[in-house]
DNA sequence: GTAGCTAACGCCCCGACGGT
DNA sequence: ACCGTCGGGGCGTTAGCTAC
C-alpha cells in the first residue's frame, strides 16, 4: 500500500471593479493552479514526488489574496501545463495496488473532485480511500472540539524543521508528510470519500408538497383509530393554517414558565 | 382523559476557524 | 475576498412519563 500525500493551491474569482459581484463560476469556484505530492511506501519512505504548475483556464487573473499568499505569479502560471495533462500525470503517479490519499483537511479532495468534474474527466478510481491528517493532528495535539489546527502550528508543535515557505503545494505536502510521520499510530485508518449531494433546505421547500397519507397515518397512530374523511380534511387544513402562524399570541416575557 | 414536563432528535442559523 | 466545515444554540416535533 502507498500513501499519496498531496496538497493543492487554488485561484478564484475576484471583483476587481469594487461594488460588483465577484465573477465566481459556481461549478468550479476554486481552480487548481498547483499540485504537490509525495508518495510513501508502507514504511513511510519517499518513493516518488510530483510538483506541477497548472495553467488556469477559468480564472485567468490572479486573485490578489492568492498572489500574496502563495507568491505565485501569472507569468509562472502561464508556463504551466493543462489541468487535463496534470490529472493524467497525477493518475499515473498514484497508480498502484492500493493508494490512500492523505490530505491536510478535506477541502483539497473535494476541490480535486470538483475540478475533475468541471473538465468532464474520468473520476478517480472508486472507492477513494483518504486520510484527513489535519483532523488526526488536531486530536493528537489536544485541540478543542471542533477546532482544526493549521499546518504551520502543527509542524511547529511537532518540532518539524521549517526550511521553506508554507503555501507552496509541494512544501505543504512535505510538511504534511512530516506531521503524518510524527502522529501516525495504528488507530489511523483510511475513510472512503463520498462526494456530498446538497441536501434539502428552506429555499427548496417550495418544490415539495404535503405528504397527506403520512400525515393522516401519524394521527391514526396517535389516536389509535381510523380518521374519517371529514377529519382528514380538518387535519390537512389545520396543518396548513398552523404553518401560517396566524393564531400565535405573543407571550409576556415577564411571565416565565416554571422550571 | 388531560395537561404539563422533559428527553431525544432533527433541522436550521450563525459564528469561529481554516483553506486558497 | 470568498468558500466550506463544524459545533453550539434555538426551536419545533414526538413520545414517554407523571400528576391530577
Amino acid at each position: 500500500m502507498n500513501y499519496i500525500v498531496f496538497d493543492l493551491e487554488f485561484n478564484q474569482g475576484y471583483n476587481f471593479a469594487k461594488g460588483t459581484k465577484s465573477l465566481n463560476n459556481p461549478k468550479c469556484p476554486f481552480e487548481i493552479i498547483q499540485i504537490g505530492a509525495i508518495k510513501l511506501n508502507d514504511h513511510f519512505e519517499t518513493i516518488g514526488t510530483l510538483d506541477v504548475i497548472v495553467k488556469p483556464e477559468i480564472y485567468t487573473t490572479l486573485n490578489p489574496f492568492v498572489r500574496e499568499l502563495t507568491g505565485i505569479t501569472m507569468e509562472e502560471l502561464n508556463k504551466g501545463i493543462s489541468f487535463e495533462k496534470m490529472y493524467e500525470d497525477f493518475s499515473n503517479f498514484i497508480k498502484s495496488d492500493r493508494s490512500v490519499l492523505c490530505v491536510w483537511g478535506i477541502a483539497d479532495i473535494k476541490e480535486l473532485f470538483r475540478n475533475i468534474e468541471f473538465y468532464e474527466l474520468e473520476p478517480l478510481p472508486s472507492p477513494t480511500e483518504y486520510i484527513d491528517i489535519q483532523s488526526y493532528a488536531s486530536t493528537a495535539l489536544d485541540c478543542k472540539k471542533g477546532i482544526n489546527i493549521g499546518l504551520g502550528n502543527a509542524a511547529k508543535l511537532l518540532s518539524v524543521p521549517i526550511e521553506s515557505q508554507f503555501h507552496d503545494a509541494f512544501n505543504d505536502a512535505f510538511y504534511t508528510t512530516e506531521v503524518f510521520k510524527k502522529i501516525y499510530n495504528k488507530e489511523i485508518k483510511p475513510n472512503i470519500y463520498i462526494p456530498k449531494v446538497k441536501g434539502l433546505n428552506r429555499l427548496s421547500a417550495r418544490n415539495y408538497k404535503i405528504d397527506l397519507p403520512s400525515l393522516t397515518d401519524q394521527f391514526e397512530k396517535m389516536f389509535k383509530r381510523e380518521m374519517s374523511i371529514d377529519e382528514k380534511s380538518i387535519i390537512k387544513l389545520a396543518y396548513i393554517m398552523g404553518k401560517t402562524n396566524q393564531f400565535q399570541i405573543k407571550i409576556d416575557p415577564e411571565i416565565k414558565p416554571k422550571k
Side-chain angles (χ1 to χ4, degrees):
Chain A
M1 178 175 77
N2 292 333
Y3 296 104
I4 310 291
V5 186
F6 77 94
D7 189 75
L8 303 172
E9 303 299 318
F10 313 116
N11 187 26
Q12 60 191 288
Y14 179 73
N15 55 337
F16 288 93
K18 281 203 170 165
T20 60
K21 192 125 175 61
S22 71
L23 302 163
N24 262 340
N25 186 327
K27 278 189 181 169
C28 193
F30 299 103
E31 182 174 24
I32 296 171
I33 53 173
Q34 190 191 13
I35 181 165
I38 293 174
K39 180 156 54 175
L40 306 173
N41 63 15
D42 281 339
H43 308 293
F44 296 97
E45 293 158 341
T46 300
I47 54 170
T49 62
L50 189 76
D51 186 3
V52 175
I53 296 275
V54 181
K55 186 178 175 180
E57 286 181 28
I58 309 168
Y59 309 111
T60 50
T61 21
L62 259 177
N63 179 311
F65 193 87
V66 174
R67 189 179 55 217
E68 191 69 28
L69 191 77
T70 62
I72 292 179
T73 62
M74 228 25 242
E75 206 180 359
E76 289 171 271
L77 291 184
N78 282 328
K79 288 182 200 153
I81 60 174
S82 68
F83 180 84
E84 197 169 346
K85 176 75 175 72
M86 178 280 281
Y87 184 50
E88 191 187 325
D89 292 350
F90 183 66
S91 299
N92 289 329
F93 181 76
I94 68 175
K95 210 169 262 175
S96 132
D97 296 343
R98 188 180 171 199
S99 284
V100 176
L101 302 179
C102 302
V103 279
W104 191 259
I106 199 74
D108 282 16
I109 288 200
K110 192 184 166 148
E111 296 308 331
L112 178 60
F113 268 80
R114 192 142 63 170
N115 276 246
I116 293 166
E117 202 183 330
F118 180 83
Y119 286 102
E120 296 173 352
L121 302 173
E122 200 59 31
L124 285 167
S126 183
T128 311
E129 290 187 280
Y130 78 97
I131 296 172
D132 175 3
I133 297 171
Q134 186 186 34
S135 154
Y136 284 108
S138 301
T139 308
L141 294 167
D142 286 328
C143 288
K144 268 196 289 176
K145 207 177 169 190
I147 301 292
N148 272 328
I149 192 166
L151 181 57
N153 281 333
K156 215 178 286 172
L157 288 169
L158 292 164
S159 311
V160 173
I162 312 296
E163 284 157 7
S164 44
Q165 290 288 317
F166 285 97
H167 300 299
D168 166 274
F170 186 77
N171 293 347
D172 285 0
F174 173 78
Y175 289 125
T176 304
T177 304
E178 294 307 303
V179 169
F180 186 36
K181 287 178 189 170
K182 297 245 181 194
I183 62 157
Y184 182 79
N185 65 61
K186 284 186 178 153
E187 302 303 309
I188 295 181
K189 294 260 162 29
N191 290 320
I192 306 292
Y193 180 75
I194 299 157
K196 266 191 189 165
V197 178
K198 286 233 170 188
L200 301 179
N201 57 42
R202 282 181 182 175
L203 287 174
S204 62
R206 75 189 67 173
N207 299 325
Y208 296 84
K209 59 173 193 170
I210 299 168
D211 182 352
L212 212 51
S214 295
L215 179 63
T216 310
D217 276 356
Q218 185 60 41
F219 273 82
E220 291 184 339
K221 209 165 84 187
M222 288 167 75
F223 289 84
K224 296 189 178 74
R225 65 172 178 81
E226 223 177 284
M227 296 290 136
S228 68
I229 293 171
D230 269 1
E231 284 169 332
K232 284 178 188 173
S233 77
I234 290 168
I235 290 165
K236 184 185 175 185
L237 185 59
Y239 185 83
I240 294 166
M241 287 174 77
K243 292 213 284 189
T244 68
N245 291 329
Q246 60 184 302
F247 299 112
Q248 300 281 60
I249 298 168
K250 194 165 169 40
I251 298 165
D252 187 344
E254 292 303 308
I255 305 164
K256 298 236 169 83
K258 272 192 288 181
K259 279 271 168 193

